Amino acid sequence: MAQPPQPEHFLTSEADAGAAFVLESKGKWWHAGFHLTTAIVGPTILSLPYAFKGLGWGLGFTSLTVMGMVTFYAYYLMSKVLEHCEKDGRRHIRFRELAADVLGSGSMFYFVITIQAAINTGIGIGTILLSGECLKIMYSSLSAHGPMKLYHFIAIVTVVMIALSQLPTFHSLRHLNMASLLLSLGYTFIVVGACIHSGLSKISPPKDYSLESSEKARILSAFNSISILAAIYGNGILPEIHATLAPPATGKMVKGLIMCYSVIFVTFYSASFSGYWAFGSKSNSNILKSLMPDDGPALAPEWLLGLAVVFVLLQLLAIGQVYSQVAYDIIEKQSADVNQGIFSKRNFVPRLVLRSLYMIFCGFMASMLPFFGDINAVVGAIGFIPLDFVLPMLLYNMSFKPPKSSPTYLINMAIIVIFTSAGLMGTYSSVRKLILDANHFKLFSDDVTD
């Protein structure tokens, strides 16, 4: 069946510098695997025990497994939609253009770009904040009463991020993201070993796996935890990662997904089990904080925990760059000249200035708003659930038009309904918790607030 005419601004033009430079298509399938793993498997996995304390053992592992299965399925469907459009002569390299084309809606274009911008900027701010916190942890271990504050370390990280931001293309991050994959395995194994050591030690805090006392509080806490899991599994830039593949892209993204989810299986389950087993309902939003409490000795060898902090810090630098690619693409689509070289003065100077300003903005916001745990849940509910748990199924049904009585159509619609409901409940519970915790927040605080 013939496709309706597509609005010009939904499709990539030959003069699109964002496509030609930032999203150049030169990668192999394993490069996509590196990018996907960096986009999903990050230090947020250290929040998994914290998410479990709102769910408990049974519901926690059930939710973790269901989220993993649904997100893999969703990303697989999205890769099939991208390949379908490409075979039809409509190659899409951006999530917003794909959604607008398949759904035939200019408003969907702006909905997706708004959600993407919020997620990616939030992650950019979060990576700088957590990187600054890692530096502060290392500094405090060497000089407990030193004069440097959190915002000093955030400034240091921002300068490093500005330097890394000058890597001109998404493809140029491939080696950085391979290192990121190895770093995620490294600090996960360290944290798992540290949690087991802590759980078996005599100075370990008593284990308590009880949930909230009232039924309403348990329900809201559970949905807040589900929102955190959605954020941890979330990846709102799969079409942009798909764009980095050298054509033909058929089948390559699936191989990349298998690589990514192999790492997810190893890291997510081991971190969840060991961290929740060791700390239960006392789990911190970052399990490293549970292992290094402010009011007592470290619960594992300090040198080992310090190595984990270094690994986390180095990976955060890669994650910040991966999620900044959407912003760079938007910036350079408007500012760069595709008819001149990527390193020409005409393109280098605007890239240096505009990317630096973007990173400075993220660094300033990280200094001003050092709140992580509650914001992570809000981002998961409002941002990742519609992009990763709703739109892929809708795009597949609209593109391939499976019969309404077919299992594929029914499964897709069930996922849409269930996760839309979960997203609404998660939004309510996470925003409610954010408001309740607001009195603990302090602008330009010297500590990251959970």
Side-chain angles (χ1 to χ4, degrees):
M1 188 167 109
Q3 293 289 333
Q6 304 302 318
E8 290 182 4
H9 67 285
F10 291 169
L11 304 177
T12 302
S13 70
E14 293 182 0
D16 187 339
F21 294 160
V22 179
L23 301 177
E24 67 172 348
S25 305
K26 295 174 63 177
K28 308 294 185 181
W29 70 263
W30 55 88
H31 297 149
F34 299 155
H35 299 328
L36 284 165
T37 305
T38 301
I40 301 176
V41 186
T44 49
I45 66 176
L46 302 179
S47 299
L48 282 168
Y50 177 78
F52 267 52
K53 79 176 189 178
L55 297 167
W57 282 112
L59 188 56
F61 276 108
T62 299
S63 299
L64 186 69
T65 302
V66 169
M67 286 281 193
M69 294 172 63
V70 171
T71 51
F72 182 88
Y73 177 68
Y75 301 148
Y76 171 77
L77 292 188
M78 196 182 297
S79 72
K80 303 306 290 184
V81 172
L82 287 162
E83 291 173 6
H84 174 78
C85 290
E86 187 169 345
K87 289 177 182 176
D88 200 37
R90 298 176 293 126
R91 181 173 182 264
H92 292 296
I93 62 174
R94 301 177 177 101
F95 204 147
R96 56 192 182 274
E97 294 169 355
L98 172 69
D101 176 19
V102 174
L103 300 179
S105 169
S107 59
M108 186 56 63
F109 178 94
Y110 297 106
F111 170 77
V112 172
I113 195 173
T114 300
I115 294 293
Q116 268 196 317
I119 288 174
N120 294 357
T121 303
I123 291 175
I125 294 168
T127 54
I128 292 176
L129 172 61
L130 294 181
S131 298
E133 184 184 27
C134 288
L135 284 177
K136 183 174 181 287
I137 288 171
M138 290 188 286
Y139 174 77
S140 298
S141 67
L142 298 173
S143 177
H145 303 291
M148 294 185 71
K149 304 296 183 183
L150 178 61
Y151 66 85
H152 292 126
F153 300 107
I154 287 174
I156 293 170
V157 172
T158 302
V159 171
V160 176
M161 294 291 269
I162 288 172
L164 289 174
S165 74
Q166 298 311 307
L167 291 168
T169 69
F170 205 153
H171 181 63
S172 64
L173 299 177
R174 62 194 183 281
H175 301 303
L176 189 66
N177 289 340
M178 180 183 70
S180 168
L181 186 156
L182 297 175
L183 288 167
S184 68
L185 291 171
Y187 66 70
T188 298
F189 293 150
I190 290 173
V191 166
V192 169
C195 287
I196 294 172
H197 179 275
S198 171
L200 296 175
S201 71
K202 295 179 180 179
I203 61 172
S204 173
K207 295 177 177 61
D208 176 16
Y209 306 110
S210 60
L211 301 178
E212 298 283 353
S213 56
S214 73
E215 183 177 356
K216 179 181 178 181
R218 283 197 301 272
I219 291 172
L220 293 175
S221 182
F223 277 105
N224 187 64
S225 294
I226 288 171
S227 298
I228 292 173
L229 291 178
I232 291 171
Y233 270 113
N235 167 33
I237 56 173
L238 188 139
E240 285 79 5
I241 293 173
H242 191 277
T244 66
L245 289 167
T250 303
K252 294 178 181 176
M253 184 58 77
V254 176
K255 293 179 181 178
L257 280 169
I258 292 172
M259 174 193 284
C260 174
Y261 272 75
S262 298
V263 178
I264 285 174
F265 178 79
V266 171
T267 56
F268 281 31
Y269 280 88
S270 60
S272 300
F273 178 85
S274 61
Y276 189 60
W277 170 77
F279 299 103
S281 59
K282 294 182 174 61
S283 297
N284 200 288
S285 68
N286 183 336
I287 202 64
L288 285 172
K289 287 186 176 181
S290 298
L291 290 164
M292 294 185 286
D294 294 331
D295 56 353
L299 301 178
E302 290 191 12
W303 68 268
L304 189 65
L305 296 177
L307 185 61
V309 171
V310 171
F311 286 178
V312 168
L313 169 63
L314 293 175
Q315 198 206 16
L316 283 167
L317 300 177
I319 293 171
Q321 292 307 316
V322 164
Y323 276 96
S324 295
Q325 296 304 307
V326 171
Y328 300 160
D329 170 45
I330 294 171
I331 290 169
E332 294 187 22
K333 186 176 182 181
Q334 305 299 324
S335 67
D337 184 353
V338 74
N339 297 311
Q340 301 194 41
I342 193 171
F343 293 108
S344 66
K345 183 178 179 181
R346 163 65 183 81
N347 289 326
F348 173 76
V349 173
R351 180 167 66 243
L352 175 64
V353 173
L354 294 174
R355 291 190 182 191
S356 297
L357 288 174
Y358 176 76
M359 282 299 167
I360 290 170
F361 167 77
C362 290
F364 175 78
M365 295 301 291
S367 297
M368 186 173 70
L369 304 171
F371 324 131
F372 182 68
D374 289 349
I375 291 176
N376 196 29
V378 174
V379 168
I382 297 177
F384 283 119
I385 284 182
L387 287 192
D388 293 332
F389 296 86
V390 177
L391 272 179
M393 289 71 181
L394 185 60
L395 294 175
Y396 184 89
N397 283 354
M398 294 292 289
S399 296
F400 290 91
K401 297 179 171 57
K404 292 187 177 180
S405 59
S406 67
T408 299
Y409 181 87
L410 294 173
I411 289 171
N412 289 350
M413 291 306 299
I415 291 173
I416 290 172
V417 171
I418 291 169
F419 280 94
T420 297
S421 302
L424 292 173
M425 281 298 298
T427 299
Y428 169 74
S429 60
S430 55
V431 171
R432 174 180 175 272
K433 190 172 187 300
L434 186 69
I435 293 171
L436 291 175
D437 292 346
N439 61 324
H440 300 299
F441 297 159
K442 182 181 177 183
L443 298 180
F444 298 102
S445 170
D446 190 41
D447 295 300
V448 177
T449 305
D450 291 334

